[in-house]
């Protein structure tokens, strides 16, 4: 009973980061940055004209407007959107010529001015897409996406997000908090992050690395186990010794080699080394090959089977489980690799998912929703892979531990 | 004579076998020469040079080493950070993994389920888990501080009094670090490393699997015999379990040390290579990387790589020496 209690509470502790990862990726900003922990993804929504809901991405209160002089012209109105504490959200929403005598500038006029800013009559601002008024100027067309500002009756503006184009009555005012997950971070993460491009890059590298490692490691392991020749075991121990060599020692000269070959900013430095065999996998496969009955190989040889055919048609088919382990771990390492792409890949178009996420983090430090969404997408394939290959996986981990 | 080393005296069959052996191991041999042997030698040569990749290396003797040991404050900082991490992270992670493995080994119902939960964090891609933990450890909005929030005034009170007591007892210097609660994690130089340690504790799955495999190998009869002799649970753990899995503990200890010397990705991503705040997360491998690929001081970085190599060898040898006689190898 006690052990169950301990296991359950420890499981909860270990699961918290996962839950936090997933809920964060599904929450609106207003619920991401809160004081209390919120475990259920929530957001604010407004009801649109056609009965659907639009997520309120940002609520901005119009609190500051100033008059200014510009190039001799009498006065302009500058309208700034600020958050509730008065910090500017957009530097300047728009600058418009005074619609009337400046002393009359009350909120109503400002409201009109702001409305004008959204329509085509005002100075265009790239950050604020203009809305097309439909019918009478009270209903606006809202495009899909999230940079749509909508003005409300109480002089606040909200930024809404919808999956599909919709319509909204000016001043559709009721904002409701609902426990609905939003997929906005995923949509934006996938678009803004070049997800599919980085995914293709990652898969391309992983594919070649897996092929290279499986072929070369099994080829070499065959030479270290099935074949008998002088000096074999000495070389094998030398190979085991190289596993202890820290990669930092070889990293710099290897970089110099690849650089002098002109391979920087290509995937070759990440792929080519895998075609020379990996010491750990050679070791793993050798141990497996040694369990293949000797008689089988001798019989094949007596029947006139060439060494290459013994490798390709007898040893390889018999070793599918071990080869699967090698392929699985190579794929994982390649998928997760960070330092390799960091050193060799320069162009953003060539980034892998891992490198891309790390760089994304540096550029958009506070967009945690999107970062969490991309992290989920980076993690999910590995977890799915794990569930399908659990036994191979655990066996591989154990073997890696037993080698010492 | 079979043992002859002169190729001329080999029979045709022997020569054929030799050639085949070399054909099959050839890829690795070439790889070894190009990606291991040559780089090791070149790295040592570079470590004695002034080299920035763009120009030819200029030999200048031991100057890099002298500068590292003599003048480079950051070198010592990075060593200190790495030692700190090693000293706290390895025992914490090993103990956590051991506790989890022993709990799982009680053969409770749903063992496979719990095992999966504890193991999953260790397969999360390192970049994803780092970004996630950066968010978890966010001082204002992260879940860690949201959970710690209600208790942090008490923790502050405790820490202040412990610190005062230590100072009064003369066990701590007057300027004992002023720790703040809830922790500032990656924005506070005293909390940044504990934050990273917390993150590595989450990823103990690999070690746990190894320990669990070891525990399952321990013969049941040993426990039954001990129980009959009236040994308590603690004594059974101390005198049967731990000695029986000591080779695995030893292996993970050595691997943990080597891994800490190479600890890079997490700290690099969290601090964008800066190692902040106040160089508190500038780990050895990261400082090496920065020297090599950001400042392009390849010679200097090569010297650091060689020092790293020597340090790993020394630490491994020391561990072997210190644990001699305490690691039990069945059949040895």
């Amino acid at each position: 009973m006690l052990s169950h209690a301990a296991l359950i509470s420890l499981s909860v502790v270990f699961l918290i980061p996962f839950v936090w990862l997933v809920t964060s990726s599904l929450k609106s900003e207003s619920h991401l940055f809160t004081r209390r922990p919120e475990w259920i993804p929530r957001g604010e929504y407004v009801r649109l004209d056609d009965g659907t809901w639009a997520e309120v991405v940002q609520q901005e209160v119009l609190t500051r407007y100033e008059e200014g002089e510009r190039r001799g012209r009498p006065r302009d109105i500058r309208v700034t959107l600020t958050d509730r504490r008065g910090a500017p959200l957009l530097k300047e929403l728009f600058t418009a010529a005074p619609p009337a005598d400046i002393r009359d500038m009350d909120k109503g006029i400002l409201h009109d001015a702001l409305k004008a800013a959204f329509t085509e009559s005002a100075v265009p601002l790239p950050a604020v897409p203009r809305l097309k008024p439909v019918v009478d100027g009270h209903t606006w067309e809202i495009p899909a996406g999230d940079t749509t500002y909508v003005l409300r009756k109480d002089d606040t503006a909200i930024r809404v997000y919808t999956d599909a184009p919709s319509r909204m009555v000016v001043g559709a005012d009721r904002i409701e908090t609902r426990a609905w997950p939003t997929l906005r971070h995923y949509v934006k993460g996938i678009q803004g992050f070049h997800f599919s491009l980085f995914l293709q890059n990652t898969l391309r590298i992983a594919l070649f690395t897996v092929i290279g490692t499986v072929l070369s490691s099994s080829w070499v392991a065959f030479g270290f186990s099935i074949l008998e020749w002088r000096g074999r075991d000495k070389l094998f121990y030398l190979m085991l010794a190289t596993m202890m060599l820290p990669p930092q020692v070889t990293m710099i000269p290897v970089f110099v080699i690849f650089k002098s070959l002109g391979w920087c900013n290509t995937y070759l430095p990440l792929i080519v080394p895998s075609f020379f065999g990996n010491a750990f996998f050679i070791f793993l496969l050798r141990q497996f090959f040694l369990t293949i009955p000797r008689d089988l190989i001798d019989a094949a040889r007596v029947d006139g089977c060439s060494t290459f055919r013994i490798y390709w048609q007898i040893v390889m088919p018999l070793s599918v489980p071990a080869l699967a382990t090698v392929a699985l771990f190579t794929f994982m390492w390649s998928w997760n690799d960070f330092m390799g792409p960091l050193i060799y890949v320069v162009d953003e178009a060539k980034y892998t998912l891992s490198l891309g996420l790390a760089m994304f983090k540096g550029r958009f430090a506070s967009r945690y929703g999107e970062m969490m969404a991309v992290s989920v997408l980076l993690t999910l394939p590995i977890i799915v892979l794990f569930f399908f290959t659990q036994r191979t996986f655990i066996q591989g981990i154990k073997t890696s531990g037993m080698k010492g | 004579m079979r043992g002859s080393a002169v190729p001329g005296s080999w029979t045709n069959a022997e020569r054929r076998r030799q050639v085949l052996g070399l054909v099959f191991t050839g890829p690795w041999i070439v790889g070894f020469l190009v990606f291991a042997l040559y780089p090791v030698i070149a790295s040592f040569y570079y470590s004695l040079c002034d080299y920035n990749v763009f120009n030819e290396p200029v030999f200048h003797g031991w100057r890099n080493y002298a500068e590292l040991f003599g003048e480079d404050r950051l070198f010592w900082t990075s060593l200190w950070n790495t030692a700190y991490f090693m000293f706290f992270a390895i025992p914490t992670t090993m103990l956590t993994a051991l506790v989890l493995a022993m709990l799982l080994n009680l053969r409770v119902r749903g063992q496979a389920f719990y095992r999966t939960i504890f193991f999953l964090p260790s397969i999360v891609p390192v970049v994803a888990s780092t970004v996630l933990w950066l968010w978890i450890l966010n001082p204002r909005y992260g879940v860690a501080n949201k959970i710690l929030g209600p208790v942090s005034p008490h923790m502050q009170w405790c820490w202040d009094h412990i610190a005062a007591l230590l100072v009064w007892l003369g066990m701590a210097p007057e300027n004992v670090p002023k720790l703040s609660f809830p922790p500032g994690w990656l924005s506070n130089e005293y909390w940044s490393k504990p934050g990273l340690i917390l993150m590595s504790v989450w990823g103990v799955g690999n070690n746990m699997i190894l320990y669990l495999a070891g525990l399952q190998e321990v013969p049941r009869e040993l426990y039954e015999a001990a129980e009959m002799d009236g040994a308590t649970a603690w004594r059974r753990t101390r005198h049967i379990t731990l000695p029986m899995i000591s080779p695995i503990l030893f292996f993970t200890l050595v691997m943990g040390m080597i891994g800490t010397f190479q600890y890079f990705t997490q700290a690099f991503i969290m601090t964008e290579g800066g190692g902040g705040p106040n160089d508190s997360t500038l780990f050895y491998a990261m400082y090496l990387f920065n020297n090599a690929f950001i400042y392009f001081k390849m010679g200097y970085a090569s010297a650091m790589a060689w020092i790293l190599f020597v340090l790993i060898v020394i630490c491994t040898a020391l561990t072997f020496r210190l644990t001699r006689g305490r690691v039990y190898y069945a059949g040895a």
Side-chain angles (χ1 to χ4, degrees):
Chain A
M1 210 48 235
L2 199 65
S3 57
H4 260 292
L7 280 170
I8 289 171
S9 43
L10 281 166
S11 304
V12 170
V13 171
F14 270 72
L15 280 177
I16 283 177
F18 281 116
V19 178
W20 189 241
L21 169 70
V22 175
T23 53
S24 295
S25 74
L26 297 170
K27 279 187 214 171
S28 302
E29 274 80 356
S30 51
H31 293 268
L32 268 176
F33 300 103
T34 54
R35 276 294 186 185
R36 303 196 163 281
E38 288 184 17
W39 298 102
I40 294 162
R42 283 197 285 194
E44 267 95 38
Y45 293 84
V46 286
R47 172 85 84 168
L48 296 181
D49 221 20
D50 50 10
T52 56
W53 292 85
E55 186 198 347
V56 177
V57 178
Q58 234 172 3
Q59 285 191 58
E60 293 156 355
V61 188
L62 260 171
T63 56
R64 215 175 64 194
Y65 46 91
E66 0 175 298
E67 310 152 21
E69 276 182 50
R70 198 175 63 173
R71 275 192 240 105
R73 288 167 62 200
R75 268 159 198 173
D76 294 331
I77 307 170
R78 290 183 188 186
V79 179
T80 315
L81 285 183
T82 61
D83 65 13
R84 292 189 190 85
R85 274 165 297 173
L89 290 165
L90 284 170
K91 251 206 172 103
E92 192 177 25
L93 186 64
F94 70 96
T95 311
D101 186 17
I102 204 75
R103 274 161 300 190
D104 297 335
M105 198 185 75
D106 57 13
K107 281 196 164 181
I109 292 171
L110 194 70
H111 194 277
D112 288 343
L114 188 56
K115 199 153 73 178
F118 287 122
T119 57
E120 300 190 28
S121 59
V123 182
L125 278 162
V128 186
R130 279 158 287 157
L131 299 182
K132 262 192 236 139
V134 226
V135 202
D136 52 359
H138 288 292
T139 310
W140 282 336
E141 193 91 39
I142 298 176
D146 94 331
T147 44
T148 311
Y149 281 87
V150 175
L151 187 69
R152 297 167 67 227
K153 278 178 188 151
D154 60 349
D155 284 348
T156 61
I158 53 175
R159 196 150 68 113
V160 295
Y161 169 83
T162 50
D163 296 322
S166 302
R167 285 178 172 189
M168 185 182 196
V169 177
V170 178
D173 273 326
R174 292 250 326 216
I175 296 179
E176 288 176 35
T177 303
R178 312 190 127 235
W180 277 356
T182 170
L183 290 177
R184 179 168 48 89
H185 298 308
Y186 287 88
V187 175
K188 285 205 75 182
I190 288 172
Q191 286 166 354
F193 175 75
H194 309 301
F195 190 87
S196 59
L197 177 66
F198 295 169
L199 178 68
Q200 278 173 33
N201 295 342
T202 310
L203 287 178
R204 190 174 307 162
I205 298 172
L207 177 72
F208 284 110
T209 313
V210 168
I211 292 174
T213 307
V214 168
L215 287 181
S216 64
S217 297
S218 60
W219 179 267
V220 174
F222 184 85
F224 275 130
S225 53
I226 308 287
L227 300 180
E228 276 165 30
W229 47 286
R230 263 178 241 165
R232 181 188 82 175
D233 292 342
K234 275 189 195 123
L235 262 184
F236 181 69
Y237 291 126
L238 178 66
M239 191 198 75
L240 290 186
T242 61
M243 287 204 281
M244 301 305 286
L245 197 64
Q248 277 81 3
V249 176
T250 54
M251 182 171 81
I252 292 165
V254 169
F255 172 77
V256 174
I257 293 174
F258 286 136
K259 194 174 157 45
S260 63
L261 289 171
W263 285 4
C264 279
N265 205 15
T266 71
Y267 297 145
L268 291 172
L270 308 176
I271 293 169
V272 169
S274 69
F275 281 84
F276 294 94
N278 171 297
F280 169 58
F281 292 134
I282 294 172
F283 167 79
L284 191 147
L285 288 172
R286 173 190 179 265
Q287 302 308 94
F288 193 88
F289 291 171
L290 287 177
T291 63
I292 294 174
R294 203 69 226 173
D295 299 348
L296 200 68
I297 288 147
D298 289 341
R301 196 162 274 152
V302 170
D303 289 347
C305 196
S306 74
T307 309
F308 178 76
R309 276 189 60 192
I310 292 176
Y311 161 74
W312 190 247
Q313 292 189 332
I314 296 176
V315 172
M316 287 294 263
L318 282 174
S319 313
V320 169
L323 295 172
T325 311
V326 172
L328 181 70
F329 276 79
T330 311
F331 177 81
M332 285 241 328
W333 288 354
S334 177
W335 181 273
N336 295 350
D337 188 20
F338 174 69
M339 209 206 260
L342 180 68
I343 293 177
Y344 291 109
V345 177
V346 182
D347 286 350
E348 193 172 325
K350 292 181 182 168
Y351 279 3
T352 61
L353 282 173
S354 281
L355 185 62
L357 178 57
M359 294 300 170
F360 182 80
K361 186 242 140 207
R363 216 172 298 165
F364 306 110
S366 63
R367 282 156 66 173
Y368 280 107
E370 283 163 58
M371 282 200 286
M372 292 306 117
V374 175
S375 298
V376 169
L377 295 175
L378 187 60
T379 309
L380 209 58
I382 297 294
I383 290 191
V384 170
L385 198 63
F386 168 74
F387 277 109
F388 279 111
T389 57
Q390 210 162 2
R391 192 163 300 195
T392 316
F393 223 101
I394 301 286
Q395 200 50 49
I397 302 278
K398 285 183 190 165
T399 321
S400 73
M402 298 308 169
K403 77 183 178 214
Chain B
M1 191 184 125
R2 268 197 68 87
S4 166
V6 188
S9 64
W10 285 356
T11 64
N12 270 348
E14 267 180 324
R15 194 170 299 145
R16 218 181 99 74
R17 286 214 300 229
Q18 246 2 66
V19 168
L20 268 176
L22 289 176
V23 163
F24 272 86
T25 51
W28 176 76
I29 295 172
V30 173
F32 169 73
L33 295 176
V34 178
F35 297 120
L37 187 62
Y38 165 75
V40 168
I41 297 165
S43 161
F44 187 66
Y45 173 67
Y46 292 158
S47 79
L48 303 172
C49 293
D50 183 18
Y51 184 37
N52 65 1
V53 195
F54 307 108
N55 302 319
E56 287 299 301
V58 181
F59 188 83
H60 67 186
W62 299 97
R63 212 178 291 170
N64 287 332
Y65 293 91
E67 194 183 328
L68 276 170
F69 285 116
E71 296 160 35
D72 194 342
R73 188 185 58 83
L74 287 179
F75 169 75
W76 291 105
T77 309
S78 69
L79 262 184
W80 157 250
N81 288 338
T82 309
Y84 177 111
F85 200 77
M86 209 176 275
F87 189 78
F88 288 106
I90 293 179
T92 321
T93 49
M94 282 178 72
L95 196 66
T96 312
L98 189 60
V99 167
L100 293 178
M102 284 169 79
L103 278 173
L104 288 179
N105 197 40
L106 294 175
R107 280 149 220 248
V108 290
R109 262 174 50 157
Q111 192 214 37
F113 174 74
Y114 291 124
R115 191 185 64 183
T116 307
I117 287 179
F118 297 140
F119 179 69
L120 272 186
S122 66
I123 58 166
V124 174
V126 59
V127 180
S129 68
T130 306
V131 170
L132 167 62
W133 275 85
L134 199 66
W135 174 226
I136 289 174
L137 297 177
N138 185 304
R140 281 171 72 92
Y141 305 115
V143 72
N145 281 3
K146 282 177 186 172
I147 291 173
L148 286 180
V151 291
S152 56
H154 309 288
M155 292 167 80
Q156 184 78 61
W157 188 87
C158 287
W159 167 252
D160 287 346
H161 284 78
I162 290 170
L165 186 70
L166 287 179
V167 172
W168 186 71
L169 288 171
M171 291 165 74
E174 287 291 335
N175 55 349
V176 63
K178 177 93 181 73
L179 289 188
S180 54
F181 292 86
W185 303 118
L186 266 296
S187 61
N188 179 310
E189 60 180 296
Y190 300 114
W191 282 114
S192 52
K193 283 189 284 280
L196 292 173
I197 292 171
L198 207 60
M199 175 176 156
S200 56
V201 168
W202 189 56
V204 294
N206 271 339
N207 280 0
M208 181 201 73
I209 294 289
L210 293 179
Y211 296 161
L212 186 59
L215 290 173
Q216 284 167 348
E217 302 272 297
V218 180
R220 299 245 109 194
E221 304 89 68
L222 286 179
Y223 290 116
E224 283 156 16
E227 221 161 327
M228 245 183 280
D229 292 346
T232 59
W234 162 248
R235 290 181 73 86
R236 272 175 306 190
T237 309
R238 172 74 189 75
H239 294 288
I240 299 172
T241 313
L242 291 183
M244 288 303 280
I245 62 163
S246 55
I248 302 175
L249 290 174
F250 175 73
F251 169 75
T252 52
L253 174 66
V254 172
M255 289 323 253
M257 285 195 321
I258 296 176
T260 310
F261 272 118
Q262 298 170 7
Y263 189 77
F264 169 77
T265 308
Q266 294 88 335
F268 186 87
I269 293 172
M270 284 214 176
T271 66
E272 281 155 45
N278 198 12
D279 299 322
S280 61
T281 57
L282 187 73
F283 293 97
Y284 195 92
M286 196 165 119
Y287 188 46
L288 195 162
F289 181 92
N290 287 355
N291 269 316
F293 296 105
I294 292 178
Y295 316 134
F296 286 105
K297 288 157 76 177
M298 293 286 183
Y300 202 64
S302 298
M304 282 192 75
W306 267 86
I307 295 169
L308 170 85
F309 194 15
V310 171
L311 282 175
I312 286 181
V313 170
I314 290 175
C315 280
T316 312
L318 265 182
T319 320
F320 265 97
R321 172 62 68 86
L322 290 175
T323 57
R324 194 158 58 185
R326 285 169 214 203
V327 179
Y328 168 81
Y329 291 102

